[in-house]
Amino acid sequence: MTALDSDVLVIGSGAGGATTAAALAGAGRSVTVVEEGPWIDPEATEAFSLEEMVAKYRHRGGSAALGSPPVAYAEGRCVGGSTEINSGLWHRLPPELASEWKETYQIEEFGGDVLDRYSDQIEADLSVSRLPGAPPPSSAVLPQGAAELGWRSVEFPRVFRYDGEGRGTKQTMARTLLPRAVHDGAQLVADCQVVKLLRRHDRVVGARCRRRHVDGTVEHLTIGADHVFVCGGSIQTPALLQRSGFRTNIGNGLKLHPTIKIAARFPQPVDHADVPMHRITEFAPNLTIGGSAGRRGHVALALADSGSGHAEAMADWEHVGVYYAAIRSDASGRVIAVPGLRSPIVTYRLTDGDLSRLARGLILLGEALLAAGATHLYPSITGGAVVRRPDELVQWWDTVTRDRANLMTVHMTSTVRIGERRARTGADSFGRVWGTTNLRVNDAALVPDAPGVNPQATIMAIAARNCDHFLAG
Amino acid sequence: MFWFERQVVAALLHSRDDLARSAVEAYVDGALAALPDHIRAGVAAESVLFGGWARLRGGPVDLERLDRSRIGPARQYARLLRSLVLFAEHELEPGAAG
């Protein structure tokens, strides 16, 4: 058994973990970051490719929340976490949600103004920016459709740095904050799974880990620490806490953005290497319309869902893009660590209201795509009819059912909510787990509810705020 | 992969090229092995059940029957395998990003 010691142990290296490591190492603390997944050179795989799924996704992308219908989801499992696999879109938390959550959960020093201060700094640090030139065709169809219908749309900035020729590089954590943390003295240990936190009364004194080496051998490792930050994301963080005996309000408030898709066929070719950066915000934050990864494999999957006309449309795949409608959901789910199972069981039970909102979202998305010139729409509904004209969209109303809707998500939050209302939260206003003195959560699990937008900006702003509070304490 | 899973994958493959078929089968094999334990266990149980039924019944794999099933997990079983095969077939071809 190997033993390491550190002032601060950060478990997980995604948006929350990397922010924590960089802030604390930069302040001179002794920091060790452990990441379950491997280090993968960010240049090694094409974005959203099969190779990327194999190398960087947990379960190779094959995770699902059980329910009716089940909701497929994806998580990163590599150094940098989900920032290595996401679209890099950057949305600040809508201020009205920050105010609502502050009141509902009694969160101290929380609000749009507080988070904006941190967002300003992070955005400057990570070069959050808009495209330097015209948008690609796959993205341009969204503002075009919105304009035809008199709806609002916007180009969201992304965590991308552009060179002089307009080529963008996503500023993932493996490219930015993690190297900075290491430069400031942090130790980064990849391929190292934390099995359990080690407790002594109300303190966590370290973690028991399994580190896999390149030759296949496994090293058992104990890392002692004065302070522990768990940053494994909304699924893995509550699972680790439960395995370590922390269960009160841990894992039982899972929120996600159920998402339904349309493969849209256009007369002109659309691009496939990137994710559209425009969103239709007319119905935000409760309903967001945008574009998905649309490589050949994704187009094939999206077309296959409806079933009809799949082969003919696939022959024309370079003219097909994949778009989505995502909702804020009434429902919530659970993350349950079961002894003997390596992965937690995740459940999510959509409400009938959620299904109605998804049907509405699907139809509004269809309207926008037809207004933008799409000639055929293939919904992600088993046996869903192909639509060619706006008056045909109405037939989708009754097809978004528990039996036929094929849903997915990439945004999971709220499994260890923050706030002073102990009956409803798993951690205090700054992420300290109730009943402990030195165990903190600092990732998407803290976000009290689904933000209706990509949560990376919210996660990083809250994490930076919590680090300042920790350092001032 | 279980026997029935191999039969389903073989039935779903479009390519006649042995190398391409092997590459897709290897991908599906890896993807199934990587599933969360509880999901893999459920899929495996269905594979044994459907495989037993298929052997008794004889004849080729009837995927349409699974697609049309009134039982959700049976439809999801067919969708899972179809998704894995389709994604791999199209992504393993050159120029998948256009």
Side-chain angles (χ1 to χ4, degrees):
Chain A
M1 178 81 78
T2 310
L4 293 174
D5 274 303
S6 188
D7 175 12
V8 178
L9 171 62
V10 178
I11 299 168
S13 64
T19 302
T20 307
L24 301 189
R29 307 297 285 258
S30 150
V31 175
T32 300
V33 185
V34 294
E35 164 57 49
E36 182 182 348
W39 161 262
I40 306 285
D41 180 346
E43 311 289 342
T45 58
E46 287 184 11
F48 311 111
S49 64
L50 180 145
E51 291 78 15
E52 185 176 84
M53 287 183 80
V54 171
K56 298 183 182 176
Y57 283 56
R58 185 176 294 279
H59 303 304
R60 296 191 177 190
S63 306
L66 306 181
S68 177
V71 182
Y73 68 84
E75 293 175 282
R77 183 183 165 277
C78 58
V79 170
S82 293
T83 70
E84 306 302 315
I85 63 168
N86 68 9
S87 61
L89 287 165
W90 187 264
H91 310 242
R92 288 192 185 190
L93 181 67
E96 65 272 20
L97 288 183
S99 301
E100 182 188 317
W101 297 349
K102 178 180 182 174
E103 187 165 329
T104 303
Y105 298 99
Q106 294 176 4
I107 309 172
E108 295 173 358
E109 296 176 40
F110 195 83
D113 54 336
V114 175
L115 296 182
D116 281 350
R117 282 204 303 276
Y118 290 98
S119 296
D120 287 342
Q121 189 179 338
I122 295 164
E123 288 167 16
D125 256 9
L126 297 185
S127 305
V128 171
S129 49
R130 290 187 170 78
L131 279 174
S138 63
S139 194
V141 299
L142 290 166
Q144 187 186 338
E148 289 287 331
L149 297 164
W151 296 348
R152 280 171 296 161
S153 69
V154 67
E155 181 202 329
F156 276 103
R158 299 193 295 175
V159 194
F160 271 57
R161 184 185 292 276
Y162 294 94
D163 65 16
E165 294 174 8
R167 281 189 301 260
T169 302
K170 188 168 66 168
Q171 300 299 288
T172 70
M173 295 301 103
R175 284 189 172 110
T176 56
L177 297 191
L178 291 170
R180 184 183 304 174
V182 170
H183 176 266
D184 287 337
Q187 183 178 11
L188 174 60
V189 186
D191 291 306
C192 186
Q193 182 193 21
V194 176
V195 179
K196 197 172 185 176
L197 301 172
L198 302 172
R199 297 177 66 172
R200 189 172 300 152
H201 310 298
D202 62 354
R203 290 182 61 77
V204 169
V205 295
R208 188 152 50 82
C209 313
R210 297 173 78 241
R211 185 178 186 191
R212 291 172 305 282
H213 291 281
V214 179
D215 62 7
T217 57
V218 173
E219 177 187 13
H220 294 276
L221 190 66
T222 298
I223 303 177
D226 293 330
H227 303 277
V228 176
F229 287 77
V230 183
C231 308
S234 289
I235 306 300
Q236 306 308 319
T237 285
L240 173 60
L241 293 178
Q242 289 176 9
R243 287 201 302 271
S244 307
F246 301 98
R247 294 193 171 270
T248 305
N249 292 333
I250 303 293
N252 60 354
L254 174 68
K255 301 295 282 190
L256 45 82
H257 296 142
T259 300
I260 194 161
K261 291 187 177 179
I262 291 176
R265 193 171 167 188
F266 293 91
Q268 73 279 9
V270 292
D271 52 291
H272 298 272
D274 206 350
V275 168
M277 50 294 296
H278 283 86
R279 295 289 179 271
I280 294 175
T281 51
E282 180 71 16
F283 315 100
N286 293 320
L287 167 65
T288 306
I289 288 173
S292 288
R295 290 171 60 94
R296 185 176 173 139
H298 302 108
V299 170
L301 293 185
L303 288 169
D305 272 342
S306 67
S308 43
H310 162 254
E312 186 232 338
M314 199 58 215
D316 195 30
W317 79 275
E318 288 174 321
H319 291 230
V320 180
V322 184
Y323 298 87
Y324 72 81
I327 62 162
R328 291 187 76 221
S329 158
D330 284 342
S332 66
R334 295 186 70 188
V335 177
I336 308 157
V338 178
L341 288 184
R342 285 173 298 180
S343 310
I345 292 176
V346 179
T347 64
Y348 200 84
R349 172 81 182 168
L350 271 90
T351 65
D352 290 341
D354 288 337
L355 289 167
S356 294
R357 277 185 284 279
L358 283 164
R360 175 172 173 264
L362 190 72
I363 288 169
L364 292 170
L365 169 60
E367 275 188 58
L369 293 169
L370 289 173
T375 57
H376 298 71
L377 304 181
Y378 305 80
S380 60
I381 297 170
T382 302
V386 178
V387 158
R388 296 174 182 79
R389 299 192 314 271
D391 62 302
E392 295 173 346
L393 287 166
V394 69
Q395 63 190 306
W396 285 350
W397 264 119
D398 297 326
T399 58
V400 183
T401 63
R402 296 184 189 280
D403 287 346
R404 297 176 64 184
N406 296 311
L407 307 180
M408 57 82 63
T409 190
V410 287
H411 303 155
M412 293 83 72
T413 59
S414 317
T415 47
V416 188
R417 289 186 297 269
I418 49 171
E420 301 304 314
R421 289 189 69 173
R422 293 185 67 148
R424 299 181 68 175
T425 58
D428 73 11
S429 295
F430 300 94
R432 189 167 51 88
V433 174
W434 290 120
T436 70
T437 56
N438 67 336
L439 172 63
R440 291 169 175 82
V441 171
N442 217 16
D443 62 20
L446 295 182
V447 178
D449 201 341
V453 292
N454 181 316
Q456 184 180 343
T458 306
I459 295 163
M460 293 183 76
I462 293 176
R465 160 191 171 272
N466 292 351
C467 287
D468 270 3
H469 184 266
F470 169 77
L471 289 168
Chain B
M1 273 198 289
F2 287 84
W3 174 81
F4 188 69
E5 291 162 353
R6 287 188 196 286
Q7 301 301 306
V8 173
V9 170
L12 286 167
L13 276 163
H14 293 97
S15 173
R16 296 288 150 225
D17 176 63
D18 284 345
L19 271 179
R21 291 174 73 89
S22 297
V24 174
E25 283 170 4
Y27 172 76
V28 176
D29 192 19
L32 290 173
L35 288 172
D37 296 342
H38 55 286
I39 295 179
R40 181 63 184 123
V43 172
E46 287 186 280
S47 297
V48 171
L49 187 70
F50 299 146
W53 172 247
R55 283 177 194 267
L56 278 175
R57 190 176 52 83
V61 171
D62 189 355
L63 259 182
E64 282 190 17
R65 194 186 181 93
L66 289 176
D67 284 331
R68 288 195 315 268
S69 173
R70 283 188 299 175
I71 301 165
R75 292 193 307 274
Q76 287 149 19
Y77 177 90
R79 181 169 185 262
L80 169 68
L81 291 174
R82 178 176 287 112
S83 298
L84 292 174
V85 170
L86 265 178
F87 189 69
E89 270 199 320
H90 289 286
E91 281 293 311
L92 289 169
E93 283 189 24

